[in-house]
Amino acid sequence: MAIRGQRFHIDLNDDQSLASQSPQPSQSTTRSPWNLVADIQERPTSATSRPPSPPSIKSSQAGFPAHKKRYRPSAFKQRVTEDSNSRRYGTDPESSNIRQGAATPDQGEVQVDSKREIDMENRQRIAEMSVEDIDQARKELMSSLSESFIERMLKKANIEEDQQTNDRSTHIPKEKQPSPKTKKVTFNSKSLVDDVAQVPPSCNESNPNLNDTDIKPPPDLQPVSTFQGWPTPPSFHFPQPPTPPSLDPEDPDFLSKLRSTYFPSLPSNPKALSWMQPPDPTENEAYSPSRNDLPPSAVRFDFKGRLLPPRLAAQIPPSKGLHHHGTAPEAAGYTIPELAHLSRSSFPSQRCIAYQTLGRILYRLGTGVFGPEDHELCQGLWKCIEQGRVLDTLTAEAARDEQSGNRSCWVTATEAVWLWRKGGGRKWKAT
């Protein structure tokens, strides 16, 4: 390794010249203190050297490593003994460790023995004292110490004495431990049953001087199950709602009976339920196939803007969705006044249907599908469109911003205006 600051030259083309020119460190040269990492030196291996082997564990009968016996007490046990001694003699184990330093296991045993000697010496000194000396020393301690401290020390002394007695009882060898004596008590089952049968119910513990000869059963003693004097329990009646009568849906008065049976307190509004009743024959005369003439306001169209004659409107089933509860409910299709009224609905889906159908009617009307412009039917249809303000409604909806209002309504209204423009964009003017 080159010394810092020394300049040297390396020839990368010749490996042998590099080995000859590179400076070789000598053993006599002193190493710089900044060179902390030395070169790696490989030692020759011998034939007798063996590779390292893993440590071998002694096998036992159970298959687990054998337990290692400890001849010295553990650190936890030393700490517990030091804490107990500190509580007994009022010394701080941490301060003693600081003064004495880290003690070895042998020193800990010496400290325990010395504390035992001090304890024995104190007990011997108290045994040599007279009762008067003990009372005088107790009074001096009571006067010099506070009551709370004395009470705390007495509690600790009682706890330590209990622990010592428990430790002594646990350390008694098994040979010397007294075996628990079990007492067996037997009873004569027959005499016990007789005594129980002779005890009257009035006997209690408040009269312990009763003898067995004084106890006699009452003459009217009998089982509770055979007693006939119990009062009969009262019968409870829970009110039940009246059973409603069965209603026939085919009954012509079904709706009125339904309201009077289940909703008698609600106000009656027959007009609100009129659509559920079968239509009156007179209502279907407005678009009856038997009529020879029809006003333009009664002409009906399907959703594609095609005209529906009365005979075809009576044959279309209700599943096509062209029936409604307007004039002539049994006839299929929508008139222009009905579509104009539906275009001002508060439901966007109904407005979309009206816009789409009106745009297709305007396209067919402008292209002459229903006849020339001066025809009586076309003039009547244009008059219905003007009276219902259909074009004003469509242009107002299409001119609205795309983000304001319902997007589907805006799309269908724009399509209807485009169809009207493509059909000619004409307007009927009253003359």
Side-chain angles (χ1 to χ4, degrees):
M1 182 179 294
I3 301 174
R4 184 178 181 183
Q6 183 179 358
R7 185 174 182 181
F8 58 91
H9 176 72
I10 299 175
D11 190 2
L12 300 177
N13 296 327
D14 192 0
D15 296 338
Q16 295 179 359
S17 62
L18 176 62
S20 61
Q21 291 180 7
S22 60
Q24 299 293 336
S26 59
Q27 296 181 355
S28 61
T29 57
T30 59
R31 183 178 296 176
S32 175
W34 300 106
N35 297 333
L36 302 178
V37 180
D39 296 336
I40 299 174
Q41 296 181 1
E42 295 184 0
R43 297 180 181 179
T45 58
S46 60
T48 58
S49 61
R50 297 180 180 177
S53 59
S56 60
I57 301 175
K58 296 181 180 180
S59 61
S60 60
Q61 297 179 356
F64 294 96
H67 175 65
K68 184 179 180 181
K69 295 183 179 180
R70 295 183 179 181
Y71 297 97
R72 295 181 181 179
S74 62
F76 176 75
K77 188 174 182 180
Q78 293 178 13
R79 199 180 307 115
V80 171
T81 54
E82 289 178 1
D83 293 343
S84 62
N85 292 331
S86 63
R87 291 173 185 172
R88 184 182 300 175
Y89 301 107
T91 59
D92 190 3
E94 295 182 358
S95 60
S96 62
N97 291 336
I98 293 172
R99 290 194 303 269
Q100 297 177 5
T104 60
D106 296 336
Q107 292 179 359
E109 294 179 0
V110 172
Q111 290 179 0
V112 173
D113 294 340
S114 62
K115 289 179 180 179
R116 289 177 181 174
E117 292 178 359
I118 294 171
D119 187 18
M120 293 174 62
E121 185 179 353
N122 291 336
R123 291 179 182 276
Q124 184 178 1
R125 188 174 297 175
I126 292 172
E128 294 176 355
M129 294 173 64
S130 61
V131 180
E132 297 176 355
D133 296 338
I134 293 173
D135 293 339
Q136 185 177 359
R138 185 182 291 112
K139 290 179 182 179
E140 291 178 359
L141 289 174
M142 293 294 182
S143 60
S144 60
L145 300 176
S146 61
E147 295 180 359
S148 61
F149 180 74
I150 294 170
E151 185 178 359
R152 195 159 54 256
M153 294 298 293
L154 291 174
K155 288 181 179 179
K156 288 183 178 180
N158 294 332
I159 293 171
E160 290 176 359
E161 288 179 358
D162 295 339
Q163 291 179 354
Q164 289 178 3
T165 54
N166 293 332
D167 293 341
R168 291 172 183 172
S169 62
T170 55
H171 286 85
I172 296 174
K174 294 183 179 180
E175 298 178 355
K176 296 183 179 181
Q177 286 183 357
S179 60
K181 297 181 180 180
T182 57
K183 296 182 179 181
K184 296 182 180 179
V185 181
T186 58
F187 298 96
N188 190 355
S189 59
K190 185 176 181 181
S191 61
L192 182 61
V193 172
D194 297 338
D195 294 341
V196 172
Q198 293 178 0
V199 175
S202 61
C203 182
N204 50 20
E205 296 180 356
S206 61
N207 192 3
N209 297 323
L210 288 174
N211 297 326
D212 295 340
T213 57
D214 299 334
I215 300 173
K216 295 180 180 180
D220 57 347
L221 182 64
Q222 57 183 349
V224 179
S225 58
T226 59
F227 184 68
Q228 302 295 332
W230 297 110
T232 57
S235 60
F236 296 95
H237 173 67
F238 295 97
Q240 296 180 357
T243 304
S246 59
L247 301 177
D248 186 12
E250 302 297 334
D251 190 0
D253 297 334
F254 171 73
L255 298 178
S256 59
K257 291 181 180 179
L258 179 67
R259 189 192 64 81
S260 60
T261 302
Y262 293 98
F263 310 101
S265 60
L266 293 179
S268 177
N269 188 7
K271 292 183 179 180
L273 301 177
S274 60
W275 63 273
M276 299 180 64
Q277 296 179 356
D280 192 6
T282 59
E283 295 179 0
N284 295 321
E285 293 180 357
Y287 207 66
S288 175
S290 60
R291 295 188 58 174
N292 296 326
D293 56 342
L294 293 172
S297 60
V299 177
R300 294 180 174 270
F301 301 88
D302 62 359
F303 292 134
K304 293 185 178 181
R306 295 175 296 191
L307 192 146
L308 297 176
R311 191 177 301 276
L312 181 61
Q315 296 176 359
I316 295 176
S319 60
K320 299 296 182 180
L322 293 172
H323 291 77
H324 54 86
H325 302 284
T327 57
E330 290 187 355
Y334 289 84
T335 62
I336 291 178
E338 291 173 351
L339 291 171
H341 180 73
L342 197 63
S343 64
R344 293 185 292 272
S345 174
S346 60
F347 293 95
S349 59
Q350 294 180 350
R351 295 202 304 270
C352 290
I353 293 173
Y355 294 159
Q356 192 176 33
T357 307
L358 287 172
R360 293 171 180 176
I361 293 173
L362 289 171
Y363 175 76
R364 294 178 183 273
L365 187 60
T367 55
V369 175
F370 303 136
E373 186 177 358
D374 56 350
H375 194 269
E376 184 180 0
L377 176 62
C378 294
Q379 290 182 1
L381 295 177
W382 279 112
K383 185 176 181 180
C384 292
I385 292 172
E386 182 66 21
Q387 290 177 354
R389 303 182 65 87
V390 173
L391 294 176
D392 296 340
T393 304
L394 294 176
T395 53
E397 183 68 28
R400 186 179 298 176
D401 188 8
E402 181 181 356
Q403 302 297 331
S404 62
N406 189 272
R407 186 178 180 85
S408 299
C409 295
W410 176 79
V411 171
T412 52
T414 304
E415 180 185 359
V417 173
W418 181 81
L419 289 173
W420 168 61
R421 294 280 186 184
K422 194 172 182 180
R426 291 186 295 274
K427 293 184 178 180
W428 179 81
K429 296 181 181 180
T431 57

